[in-house]
Amino acid sequence: MNIEKKTEFLRVYKKDGGNTIYNDDAWKKEFPDKLYRYRPLRDNAENEFHALENDKVWAAVADKFPDEFRHTYKIKGIGNDVDKLVIEKVVSAFIEHKGDVDKAIEVAFDGKNSDLYKENMEVIKYAKIILSNIPKNREVLRSKTIKKDVEKLLLNGKETKITGKMGELIRKDMALTCFTDISNCSHLWEKFGGTHNGFCALYDFDKMIKNGNYVLPIHYTDDTQELEYDELFKICFYKITEFCEESEWRMLNKNDGKEGKLVDIVTPDEIICGSKVDVANEAKLRQICEKKGIKFSKES
């Protein structure tokens, strides 16, 4: 899938959460037949075996990912003529009322029937979107930087890196599982497959979609990205071109745990054992495959 198609994919996905795009015959031609998940087998071996046996994969909290989301983003939506005092009032009310967005808007604009409310409908629209995407836990609302960070997002028109506290808050709400569309790649075995001591699970793309395991392609670019307030999830699907050889896809889940969670996935079609995997781990992988009817092979 080329860069233009990946950009269009994210735009279409945003509209309906994948309900249309995965069933479109034209788009289906763009999708890979298989996705591959390279995994190490070290201290985590028992966890990996447990996940395989129960058709699960680990979805890690997005702010723990090593690529650091080092993009620069331009947030679109309200415009540069927004009254800074209005935004400050909204954010203060949001914090005071413990993350209750509707209450914050009502208080900040003197009720829904006030002239202030009617004169700032565009501001209110986008303020609701961005505030609704911020986790409402106590840690967030007590943060010393939350007021400044939210105001920075609402008062758009400037290029900014969605990093630091605000980037952390947005990404903590998301849990991701990584795949690639590249098979039997020495570089990926080295980086993600425990230097050939792990395994690679092959998943049928169509089966994943039918199971509700929606995956999105990573867009590799060094250009500034312009995002609307209601599409901040996209920050998890852009990486700088330094990582383009990974040809990555990511499965997005809502995060409700501290570090991530196990999520359901289809049974893999095949397990490829790394060329340097130890005898005990290879025997365990063979046992799982035999029990679940999964094809077993070894890295060539």
Side-chain angles (χ1 to χ4, degrees):
M1 193 182 291
N2 61 33
I3 290 176
E4 290 75 18
K5 278 291 183 181
K6 287 182 177 180
T7 301
E8 178 67 5
F9 184 101
L10 288 175
R11 186 189 69 78
V12 176
Y13 182 91
K14 171 201 165 185
K15 284 186 175 181
D16 64 3
N19 292 326
T20 300
I21 194 167
Y22 293 113
N23 295 307
D24 184 281
D25 289 338
W27 273 106
K28 285 181 179 180
K29 296 176 182 177
E30 300 289 334
F31 300 147
D33 293 330
K34 306 283 186 184
L35 286 179
Y36 305 84
R37 181 163 164 78
Y38 293 83
R39 298 298 297 160
L41 286 174
R42 299 191 181 97
D43 295 339
N44 66 324
E46 288 303 318
N47 292 335
E48 293 291 345
F49 295 148
H50 173 78
L52 279 175
E53 288 173 321
N54 292 279
D55 294 331
K56 304 280 189 183
V57 287
W58 182 253
V61 62
D63 75 319
K64 300 297 183 184
F65 275 55
D67 51 64
E68 297 175 354
F69 304 92
R70 288 177 283 176
H71 265 293
T72 299
Y73 296 88
K74 187 173 183 180
I75 308 301
K76 301 184 294 182
I78 297 177
N80 295 327
D81 58 346
V82 175
D83 186 346
K84 189 172 186 294
L85 294 177
V86 172
I87 295 299
E88 289 177 347
K89 193 173 181 182
V90 173
V91 177
S92 294
F94 173 74
I95 295 171
E96 180 184 351
H97 293 279
K98 301 178 181 179
D100 187 328
V101 178
D102 290 333
K103 185 66 175 178
I105 296 293
E106 187 177 346
V107 169
F109 291 93
D110 302 328
K112 294 182 179 180
N113 296 319
S114 70
D115 290 338
L116 183 62
Y117 187 96
K118 295 173 183 177
E119 292 168 1
N120 289 278
M121 293 299 292
E122 198 65 15
V123 176
I124 291 169
K125 172 185 173 183
Y126 289 103
K128 281 186 175 182
I129 292 171
I130 189 63
L131 293 176
S132 295
N133 278 281
I134 295 178
K136 308 303 187 297
N137 59 56
R138 186 177 301 176
E139 173 195 354
V140 171
L141 295 175
R142 286 183 174 178
S143 167
K144 293 180 180 179
T145 62
I146 183 65
K147 187 172 186 291
K148 181 176 67 176
D149 287 338
V150 174
E151 287 173 4
K152 190 181 296 182
L153 276 179
L154 289 172
L155 292 166
N156 69 313
K158 298 180 180 179
E159 293 185 1
T160 179
K161 283 196 174 184
I162 306 181
T163 55
K165 195 66 179 177
M166 180 51 65
E168 178 185 336
L169 298 181
I170 293 169
R171 293 191 301 266
K172 269 190 173 180
D173 226 21
M174 307 175 193
L176 304 171
T177 304
C178 300
F179 302 85
T180 178
D181 56 21
I182 302 176
S183 65
N184 201 26
C185 173
S186 181
H187 168 71
L188 296 178
W189 274 112
E190 288 286 337
K191 187 172 182 179
F192 302 109
T195 58
H196 306 267
N197 277 305
F199 68 95
C200 178
L202 281 64
Y203 293 94
D204 182 278
F205 190 95
D206 191 52
K207 290 179 182 177
M208 290 179 69
I209 299 309
K210 289 178 179 177
N211 192 55
N213 301 134
Y214 289 176
V215 284
L216 291 79
I218 292 296
H219 190 316
Y220 298 97
T221 176
D222 296 320
D223 297 334
T224 295
Q225 300 305 310
E226 291 193 347
L227 302 180
E228 300 284 358
Y229 284 100
D230 58 349
E231 58 184 13
L232 293 181
F233 79 95
K234 287 185 179 180
I235 69 172
C236 290
F237 295 95
Y238 283 96
K239 292 175 73 170
I240 58 176
T241 55
E242 176 185 336
F243 300 100
C244 66
E245 76 282 355
E246 295 172 4
S247 194
E248 185 179 352
W249 291 67
R250 286 177 174 174
M251 185 166 72
L252 176 63
N253 284 277
K254 186 79 173 175
N255 184 44
D256 52 15
K258 292 183 178 180
E259 299 297 330
K261 61 182 180 179
L262 283 172
V263 296
D264 294 329
I265 195 169
V266 294
T267 303
D269 285 357
E270 182 178 356
I271 296 293
I272 302 174
C273 191
S275 59
K276 298 180 181 178
V277 70
D278 67 41
V279 175
N281 285 338
E282 178 178 338
K284 182 63 177 179
L285 287 172
R286 285 183 180 273
Q287 180 186 30
I288 293 171
C289 288
E290 182 177 347
K291 179 181 179 181
K292 296 182 68 66
I294 302 170
K295 180 182 177 182
F296 177 89
S297 62
K298 290 201 68 171
E299 177 192 2
S300 57

